[in-house]
Amino acid sequence: MKTAVQTILTHEDIQHKIRRIAYQIYESNVDENEIILAGVALNGYAIAERLKPILEEISDIKCILCKVTMNKTAPQGTVATSLKPEAYANKSLVLIDDVLNSGTTLIYGVKHFLDVPLKQFKTAVLVNRNHKKYPVKADYKGISLSTSLQERVKVRFNPEGDYAILE
């Protein structure tokens, strides 16, 4: 049986949501000189890359990108970052991913960063599905969706245009 595909976010929708998240991050960090945008590879990092120029345009905050890599199907012990811990110690950090499904990716990302003292720690997602198995929440979210467990949300970042679909 073929599943129906529904576009939930168009390219313009995604750009609008990312801009709105940037303003929310700025409001929470208005007194900061520097923040770390830690994006979970691949799509979370793509969002972080899009947030950086917007934040630097609307504020005087210096944004540092950090790529977070992990095995998303078995994340325990696989989290690595492109920055050394001393680069984000005692700073404000936002952990970013594209879709919050069960919370597994974010909770292991959070666990990794908790080994270092941070000034402030927030999370951001483009799509929040509300099917959490862990007590983790997105502080900033583009859209919240009520979906069945059988449905999948896919976010694609392409030169021709970004989009998010529900299958």
Side-chain angles (χ1 to χ4, degrees):
M1 185 170 119
K2 192 153 172 95
T3 56
V5 175
Q6 176 184 355
T7 300
I8 53 174
L9 293 172
T10 65
H11 180 79
E12 292 76 23
D13 294 334
I14 290 173
Q15 304 319 305
H16 174 75
K17 304 281 185 212
I18 289 174
R19 180 166 279 280
R20 188 169 54 80
I21 291 169
Y23 274 97
Q24 291 174 317
I25 292 170
Y26 175 44
E27 287 171 7
S28 297
N29 292 280
V30 71
D31 294 328
E32 297 300 319
N33 296 322
E34 186 176 270
I35 60 172
I36 308 298
L37 300 175
V40 177
L42 295 165
N43 283 352
Y45 190 73
I47 294 168
E49 288 178 311
R50 285 161 172 77
L51 282 166
K52 183 181 190 293
I54 298 168
L55 276 160
E56 290 177 342
E57 167 197 324
I58 64 174
S59 73
D60 291 330
I61 298 171
K62 179 182 177 193
C63 298
I64 297 170
L65 291 174
C66 174
K67 186 179 279 187
V68 180
T69 55
M70 70 176 75
N71 178 342
K72 285 191 172 191
T73 55
Q76 204 165 12
T78 67
V79 180
T81 59
S82 62
L83 296 177
K84 293 191 182 314
E86 45 281 0
Y88 51 81
N90 300 306
K91 297 201 173 130
S92 183
L93 186 139
V94 181
L95 180 62
I96 304 160
D97 204 5
D98 59 345
V99 180
L100 174 53
N101 285 309
S102 67
T104 303
T105 301
L106 278 186
I107 201 78
Y108 281 101
V110 167
K111 180 184 179 294
H112 175 82
F113 285 106
L114 288 180
D115 290 338
V116 175
L118 297 172
K119 196 173 197 181
Q120 179 175 251
F121 192 175
K122 300 282 187 179
T123 56
V125 296
L126 186 61
V127 181
N128 181 8
R129 289 197 54 209
N130 300 316
H131 290 297
K132 294 178 208 59
K133 101 176 161 182
Y134 294 101
V136 64
K137 72 176 182 73
D139 296 294
Y140 317 110
K141 52 190 161 274
I143 186 173
S144 290
L145 279 183
S146 293
T147 59
S148 74
L149 289 172
Q150 292 74 35
E151 293 174 306
R152 296 189 44 86
V153 173
K154 293 184 180 174
V155 178
R156 296 289 180 252
F157 294 103
N158 296 316
E160 311 84 57
D162 307 331
Y163 62 92
I165 57 171
L166 178 65
E167 301 183 312

